[in-house]
Amino acid sequence: MISMEQELKRIRQLQRKQSKKAAEWLIQKYYDEIYIYVYRQTGNKEDSLDLTQEIFISVLRSIGSYQHEKASFRTWLYRIATNKIIDWRRKYCPVCIDIDDIEVPEELDYVKRAEDRRLLEKIDVYVAGRDSLTERIFRMRGYQNLTFAEIGKALQIPEATVRTKYHRLCQRLRKEFGNEY
């Protein structure tokens, strides 16, 4: 297992010398984790592969601005990934299919999953319509399972602000979607 000091050493090599070896090491270390994170939010293999590649290109282009004093590399990487996913979602226009047009197998579990998927799509559209800070907090909490403290640190805002924005959004979601949410 590589220590944080060794990771920082490789990041510095990449920042100072644009070391190809250090870049390959960072990508190899975090690729699967970021791909899984992206896939959970897109649900599509091709889009996830493309987005993951875009994320690492963005990371390599902006590595010079990374400051380990402000956040861990992993947190910084997830911030970039989250922003790329938000950008992708804003471009992406989901195709809505009427549930009656779908051939439903006899198992009721499939119907339940389809209904849950539709609700998640509605929630995603609703959340995407909020201010970008609230949207990022919601996605970091919901998809990355970060604590309020970790989100606050990553976004450089007080933990109390993170909690307030998250809970207000949850209240709005309950009000908007009622029993569905």
Side-chain angles (χ1 to χ4, degrees):
M1 178 148 195
I2 304 291
S3 69
M4 293 296 276
E5 292 82 27
Q6 290 171 320
E7 182 175 273
L8 272 174
K9 179 182 175 187
R10 297 207 179 167
I11 291 169
R12 282 189 207 107
Q13 288 173 343
L14 186 55
Q15 287 174 325
R16 292 181 185 142
K17 302 174 190 169
Q18 296 194 346
S19 166
K20 184 177 178 181
K21 196 173 187 178
E24 288 172 355
W25 181 86
L26 282 173
I27 291 169
Q28 186 175 14
K29 180 176 181 188
Y30 288 102
Y31 187 89
D32 290 343
E33 182 179 342
I34 294 300
Y35 172 78
I36 290 167
Y37 171 65
V38 172
Y39 184 80
R40 285 182 182 162
Q41 295 184 61
T42 65
N44 179 294
K45 181 180 178 182
E46 290 78 23
D47 289 336
S48 299
L49 288 169
D50 291 344
L51 261 173
T52 303
Q53 182 175 356
E54 284 181 39
I55 289 164
F56 281 102
I57 289 170
S58 185
V59 165
L60 293 175
R61 284 185 178 153
S62 59
I63 193 73
S65 67
Y66 169 68
Q67 297 173 355
H68 74 276
E69 304 85 17
K70 291 188 177 181
S72 71
F73 179 77
R74 185 175 183 269
T75 300
W76 184 76
L77 174 62
Y78 269 95
R79 185 182 315 152
I80 291 172
T82 300
N83 290 337
K84 286 286 183 190
I85 292 165
I86 289 170
D87 291 345
W88 176 82
R89 283 195 177 280
R90 287 192 174 138
K91 288 183 211 172
Y92 172 73
C93 184
V95 176
C96 295
I97 300 172
D98 189 357
I99 192 84
D100 296 331
D101 294 341
I102 299 173
E103 281 189 42
V104 181
E106 292 181 28
E107 301 117 9
L108 292 176
D109 287 343
Y110 179 80
V111 173
K112 178 71 174 140
R113 284 193 305 247
E115 289 171 355
D116 289 347
R117 183 76 177 169
R118 285 179 55 186
L119 175 60
L120 288 175
E121 288 172 0
K122 287 180 191 177
I123 289 171
D124 272 345
V125 169
Y126 184 84
V127 170
R130 305 302 104 204
D131 65 280
S132 65
L133 180 61
T134 301
E135 182 180 3
R136 288 186 358 207
I137 290 169
F138 182 79
R139 296 196 187 290
M140 291 172 89
R141 179 78 173 162
Y143 294 114
Q144 286 179 257
N145 293 321
L146 294 179
T147 66
F148 294 119
E150 290 171 326
I151 295 169
K153 187 175 180 180
L155 298 177
Q156 299 174 348
I157 58 175
E159 180 181 344
T161 303
V162 173
R163 285 181 184 277
T164 301
K165 286 192 168 286
Y166 181 79
H167 289 300
R168 282 187 184 155
L169 178 60
C170 288
Q171 286 175 335
R172 286 189 212 118
L173 288 170
R174 282 188 206 97
K175 190 174 185 179
E176 181 74 23
F177 298 104
N179 294 337
E180 290 180 272
Y181 181 70

